[in-house]
Amino acid sequence: MARRALVVTTSRYDDPRLAHLPGADADAVALSEVLRNEAIGGFEVDVLRDRTRDEVARGVQRFFTRAAPEDLLLLHLSCHGRKDSRGRLHFAARDTELDVLTASSVGADFLNDLMDESRSQQIVLFLDCCYSGAFVRGMRTRAGEHTVDVAGNLGGRGRFIITSSTSLQYSYEDGERSREGAKPSVFTSAVVQSLRDGTGDRDGDGRVGAEEFYRDVAERVGRILPAQTPTRSVNSAVGDLVVAFNPAGPRPSRPAPVASVGTTAAASTVAAPPPKYPFTPLKASGYDIEHVVAGLDRLLEVVSDPGRTTPVRPPHFPMASDKRMGYAREQVDAHIECHRVEPADFGVALTLLLREQDIILCDGVTGRKVARLRERCMPLGWERLLGYVRTGRAVDPDQAVAFTTENLCVLDSRTVIRVPYPKLSEFDVSSTTEWERWSGSTDQGGFGGETKHVTTTVRYKGWTVTLFDSVLEASLTAFVEAMADLRTRHPDWFA
């Protein structure tokens, strides 16, 4: 029996109405590596990345038609998904055009026919797709239209299908929202981590069955995105459908007896299990041990996830009370830092950096002034506005520091400077501070004080912008320093 896998990812699209998904590239690499691993997947893996509709269709057809009855096939699709006016699902390829969706995409009906015709009796399908924007506003829909009808579109004998979400999450003004374009997929990250860690092997037999694998992936996704629930559909899988193997091997049902020092084999005892974490216990000090034991594994999953969207800062756990034992705080924090990884691509790293600096992100933010700021930043092509520094109750499009996916934008009332992130070292920021004295008097006596005025001048390639707000100056300086640090860790992102 052969174990064969095909990973199809599309990160770039010719149609400007389909947002880029650069995280899909990271999905393809990570999933392919874990599936090929002999101790985990043992699959023969082929990858189709950023191919045209015809190339994807031919590749998928060859994948299914060349299978033997006993072969296990695993197909992973990571792309945009759309539904046509009749509710039929379509998967977008690089050259998909929304105006001719049926002719330029890979239809679910086409995929369903290929699986029907395949001789393989064991097929696993992962769908990691955006389903937003499937219907025009005002169209009548059937009841239950806001869930993905997996069985209706792709049901069949010997199939196990897992989708990244039940939600269609329509968004008419701002494009795709069910999967952010610059972020690696939470779903595929959960799939990769579950396979790599072997946590889907819930019965401890060393094999990861399809059903227990689904439950583990669903729990991982739910811990990061509680509103997103992966779904699965299973139909008469033939034989024991083993998705993967636990790299740690089977777990013994009970601890093995170990002979004590100085005793005979007949007088053996069970060795005491080692402590779960190598931390020093302290009386009435450090992090509360029960909270660490209960929550550290989950926290490590979050900080180790390259697609995480929020920073995790200490203290991570409540401190031990006067009557309880705790783990040394420094040791726990150091352990967490050892598990922290850099995001998989620059887009995710940039978003995380902005969040950590309390920059206002534009996702979901509307209003006339934000629209004006977006217009003044002049995003081109696939570029989009990510966030801005807020100096008051609302953004001022005439005095602002903003961030797009490609450029740092500094604006005054007349000029906009767009600095590409790889060129940040080439622009100059200088500030001057003046104190204005003021005074007055009343019948009760005199009064006075000083007012601080900060003027920040930004120069780049002969252009000059002047800012008159200390908050903008502080945020701009902090951002440049953080980006310089990021550049030392990932110079390839700034090449």
Side-chain angles (χ1 to χ4, degrees), residues 95 116 152 175 247 318 455 493:
D95 60 344
D116 277 341
T455 302
W493 289 351

Side-chain angles (χ1 to χ4, degrees), residues 75 131 162 196 199 205 253 273 280 284 291 356 364 375 450 478 495:
L75 174 62
Y131 297 98
I162 302 179
R196 186 181 293 148
T199 51
D205 65 353
S253 57
T280 302
H291 284 87
E356 290 170 355
E375 178 184 344
E450 292 182 325

Side-chain angles (χ1 to χ4, degrees), residues 106-436:
V106 177
D109 291 342
F110 171 78
L111 183 57
N112 188 54
D113 289 342
L114 293 179
M115 290 192 289
D116 277 341
E117 295 169 1
S118 176
R119 292 185 296 167
S120 171
Q121 296 298 302
Q122 298 186 101
I123 297 175
V124 179
L125 176 61
F126 296 157
L127 296 181
D128 190 359
C129 306
C130 298
Y131 297 98
S132 56
F135 297 94
V136 297
R137 184 178 305 189
M139 178 176 292
R140 294 181 57 190
T141 61
R142 296 185 301 272
E145 196 66 36
H146 289 267
T147 59
V148 178
D149 183 12
V150 176
N153 283 277
L154 295 167
R157 179 174 173 79
R159 301 176 192 173
F160 195 96
I161 304 169
I162 302 179
T163 70
S164 58
S165 174
T166 62
S167 242
L168 296 184
Q169 298 183 356
Y170 307 133
S171 179
Y172 299 97
E173 282 80 21
D174 299 324
E176 302 293 340
R177 293 294 171 83
S178 57
R179 169 173 176 163
E180 292 290 346
K183 299 175 183 176
S185 163
V186 171
F187 173 74
T188 301
S189 296
V191 168
V192 171
Q193 291 174 7
S194 179
L195 293 172
R196 186 181 293 148
D197 298 343
T199 51
D201 178 22
R202 300 201 165 193
D203 58 10
D205 65 353
R207 301 183 301 176
V208 181
E211 184 65 32
E212 57 184 349
F213 174 67
Y214 159 73
R215 292 200 300 268
D216 188 62
V217 170
E219 289 180 6
R220 286 176 178 268
V221 172
R223 286 195 291 265
I224 300 172
L225 294 175
Q228 180 172 327
T229 305
T231 67
R232 57 91 167 81
S233 173
V234 60
N235 192 314
S236 303
V238 176
D240 186 12
L241 208 165
V242 178
V243 175
F245 304 94
N246 187 346
R251 295 194 304 270
S253 57
R254 59 180 61 85
V258 179
S260 300
V261 176
T263 67
T264 63
S268 61
T269 60
V270 177
K276 186 174 183 181
Y277 300 111
F279 307 138
T280 302
L282 305 171
K283 179 66 174 178
S285 180
Y287 290 133
D288 184 272
I289 289 180
E290 288 188 6
H291 284 87
V292 173
V293 171
L296 184 56
D297 286 344
R298 179 180 300 181
L299 180 62
L300 292 180
E301 286 184 7
V302 174
V303 301
S304 300
D305 175 21
R308 70 187 189 278
T309 58
T310 56
V312 181
R313 304 187 180 113
H316 308 292
F317 303 101
M319 304 298 289
S321 65
D322 293 340
K323 298 181 180 180
R324 297 178 68 89
M325 296 290 291
Y327 276 143
R329 177 175 174 175
E330 295 78 10
Q331 294 177 359
V332 177
D333 287 345
H335 188 70
I336 293 170
E337 286 301 317
C338 287
H339 287 75
R340 190 187 300 271
V341 297
E342 289 287 358
D345 60 57
F346 174 76
V348 178
L350 177 61
T351 302
L352 283 172
L353 190 151
L354 296 179
R355 287 182 184 273
E356 290 170 355
Q357 296 197 356
D358 297 323
I359 302 299
I360 303 300
L361 298 182
C362 293
D363 186 19
V365 178
T366 59
R368 180 177 54 84
K369 290 188 176 181
V370 173
R372 173 59 178 162
L373 176 64
R374 183 179 287 109
E375 178 184 344
R376 291 204 66 202
C377 286
M378 299 177 293
L380 304 174
W382 303 110
E383 183 182 8
R384 62 189 180 89
L385 182 66
L386 285 180
Y388 59 88
V389 178
R390 184 165 63 186
T391 58
R393 297 185 61 183
V395 61
D396 180 3
D398 292 330
Q399 281 276 306
V401 173
F403 311 89
T404 74
T405 51
E406 306 290 339
N407 295 278
L408 165 66
C409 302
V410 186
L411 309 82
D412 62 16
S413 58
R414 293 181 296 180
T415 306
V416 177
I417 293 180
R418 286 166 45 89
V419 185
Y421 295 122
K423 303 292 185 181
L424 284 178
S425 59
E426 299 181 12
F427 91 121
D428 177 70
V429 181
S430 60
S431 298
T432 59
T433 302
E434 296 182 356
W435 293 91
E436 178 186 4

Side-chain angles (χ1 to χ4, degrees), residues 15-38:
D15 192 322
R17 291 165 294 182
L18 289 170
H20 280 232
L21 298 174
D25 290 335
D27 293 349
V29 173
L31 185 59
S32 299
E33 289 178 353
V34 74
L35 289 177
R36 286 193 181 100
N37 191 314
E38 289 294 333

Side-chain angles (χ1 to χ4, degrees), residues 467-490:
L467 306 174
F468 300 98
D469 193 293
S470 58
V471 174
L472 294 178
E473 185 270 338
S475 294
L476 186 60
T477 301
F479 176 78
V480 172
E481 292 176 353
M483 290 292 280
D485 178 66
L486 184 63
R487 184 168 191 157
T488 61
R489 302 197 306 271
H490 293 280

